[in-house]
Amino acid sequence: MIASVAKALEILNLFSTAEPCLTLTTISKRLGMHKSTAHHLLNTLLQYGFIEQQADDSYALGKTIIALTQNILVNVELRDRAAPLLRELADTCNESVYLTVRDGDRVLYIYAIESSQRLLARTAVGDYAPLYCTAVGKAVLAFLPPAEVSRLYADRPDSLVAFTPHTLTNFRQLQDDLARSRSRGYTVDNQEHELNTFCVGAPIFDAHNAVIGACSISGLDTEIIDSRLEVLSGGVVYTAQQISRRMGYVPERMSMVRQNMAGK
Amino acid sequence: MIASVAKALEILNLFSTAEPCLTLTTISKRLGMHKSTAHHLLNTLLQYGFIEQQADDSYALGKTIIALTQNILVNVELRDRAAPLLRELADTCNESVYLTVRDGDRVLYIYAIESSQRLLARTAVGDYAPLYCTAVGKAVLAFLPPAEVSRLYADRPDSLVAFTPHTLTNFRQLQDDLARSRSRGYTVDNQEHELNTFCVGAPIFDAHNAVIGACSISGLDTEIIDSRLEVLSGGVVYTAQQISRRMGYVPERMSMVRQNMAGK
DNA sequence: CGATTAGTTTCATAATATGAAACAGTGTAT
DNA sequence: ATACACTGTTTCATATTATGAAACTAATCG
């Protein structure tokens, strides 16, 4: 661990949507370092475009970071392969479509085709969401080794936080839901993460037949998980499978894996 | 300038779409540093999620960087405000819509609503493009102080590189095009950057009435800058103005600025 | 099986980041 | 109007720490 590099990265992590601009003194105080040290670090970050300085001398994350995004492995290997398939899906269902990858106990949104109905401004790309209460997250959980799911949530009651009254906060409930999802091949999110948001999700596998992420259809109408469920679930599952294929996944092998999981 | 931080940032800049994975020795050789040093730096970046290690021990940019994106000033101040307006525009014209910001002599794509016709996989978000041969770039140039435009291109013949046979590689040609764009309020890109790609762009201004970026409609059909030009240009200009308003721009002041520019 | 490649760890020393203090602007309050 | 408090910036000696050589391990290849 190189201390100065760690400090520089901590500076980058200090910025948030709520506070996209920070002053030198704020930064130095928050991280408990001297103004001078923070200034040196910021100058270096500035030189490389990772930080930008505003007219009022305050600092903000630099645009260069957006450009870096094009070189991130999941974007090259997964997003860019999945994008055309997701566009097709979005066109056929006329709802928002999301692509996510698992990152530990969360899911990271890496691509979104947001429908115009969804007039909430901000794109989801870059957002994290829990695994246990989103269609995409549960799609990952359903096809993760059961031991790993238990490690995450069993005997940890505080790990299943209720975002809405619909959130599954009981481990058994969640397990049942995952079992059902496993047999159907898709997941349903009935306002478990956000009220008035309904989603249908399906898992994405890699060449080793391991779940690496999921995609979903998301909208503001109950119909999505009701009258339109059959059509939409067919769509996400098909799309997720196509994406998996492009990741090197071989479906035949998977049926064996499923049988093994069912046997346990 | 803190050397170790600079080295760490140089490591991050080493990755590209073509080479999203690099080995330790490759990194150390490219940057002329010892394996051990590179290893220390990578470990630090690893700890903070800026770098990820693959199964084969090679290194890649980490997913954390995608999350950082949500806190970047232009995304918070411009993209999130513009997104709903751009979605509306995309719906009405049924073509790809882009949002860009100026970054020196280039334009950076920060948001995209890519139409399903465009089945080229990769999203443009994070891409840079030149100012002189794109609809978005020329929209910026047209409303930049003329002195700045001259500084960029006048007496620098190698600065106007031809991407296609349609690229304007002559400064006078470019100036004429910008003058026309200025009076119309929108720009046209007739395959100047990419063959078979036609765009209509309009400038976005901030609270100081300075151009900060542009948005555009982009597609694969000549119609876009032909039979549909009137409708589409009306759309982008209107959208760009709405975005500008949300950025604090006051239209009345602008007419004065325009008169001043015309007088020069 | 030996050789060559890879990544990782250790450690002394040479390099450099650090923090105190002083400086220079800005805006505010007295 | 003047002084004060607040920014960010610069300087510089020294104590900290990053560095690179070398040794180590593990895997790959002829």
Side-chain angles (χ1 to χ4, degrees), chain A residues 16-20 122, chain B residues 68-82 110 247:
Chain A
S16 64
T17 308
E19 290 182 314
R122 186 174 125 123
Chain B
L68 262 192
T69 278
Q70 291 285 36
N71 310 324
I72 297 172
L73 193 62
V74 283
N75 280 350
V76 174
E77 280 193 349
L78 178 58
R79 184 198 64 178
D80 291 355
R81 287 181 194 165
I110 63 169
M247 294 301 293

Side-chain angles (χ1 to χ4, degrees), chain B residues 7 34 36-37:
Chain B
K7 282 174 190 165
H34 270 249
S36 168
T37 307

Side-chain angles (χ1 to χ4, degrees), chain A residues 16-79:
Chain A
S16 64
T17 308
E19 290 182 314
C21 286
L22 295 169
T23 66
L24 175 68
T25 26
T26 309
I27 293 167
S28 63
K29 274 181 189 166
R30 293 243 179 109
L31 296 176
M33 55 175 75
H34 271 249
K35 273 198 307 182
S36 168
T37 306
H39 188 252
H40 278 298
L41 291 165
L42 283 163
N43 259 330
T44 310
L45 291 163
L46 212 55
Q47 216 101 51
Y48 283 84
F50 283 71
I51 285 282
E52 277 171 15
Q53 201 159 16
Q54 301 315 113
D56 65 340
D57 278 343
S58 72
Y59 297 91
L61 289 177
K63 290 188 274 286
T64 301
I65 296 169
I66 301 175
L68 262 191
T69 277
Q70 292 284 36
N71 309 324
I72 297 172
L73 193 61
V74 285
N75 280 351
V76 175
E77 281 193 348
L78 178 59
R79 185 197 63 178

Side-chain angles (χ1 to χ4, degrees), chain B residues 23-44:
Chain B
T23 67
L24 175 67
T25 26
T26 309
I27 294 167
S28 63
K29 274 180 188 166
R30 293 245 179 105
L31 297 176
M33 54 175 74
H34 270 249
K35 274 199 304 183
S36 168
T37 307
H39 188 253
H40 279 298
L41 292 164
L42 283 163
N43 260 330
T44 310

Side-chain angles (χ1 to χ4, degrees), chain B residues 46-68:
Chain B
L46 213 55
Q47 216 101 50
Y48 284 84
F50 282 71
I51 285 281
E52 278 171 16
Q53 201 159 18
Q54 300 316 113
D56 65 340
D57 278 345
S58 72
Y59 297 91
L61 288 178
K63 291 188 272 286
T64 301
I65 296 168
I66 301 174
L68 262 192

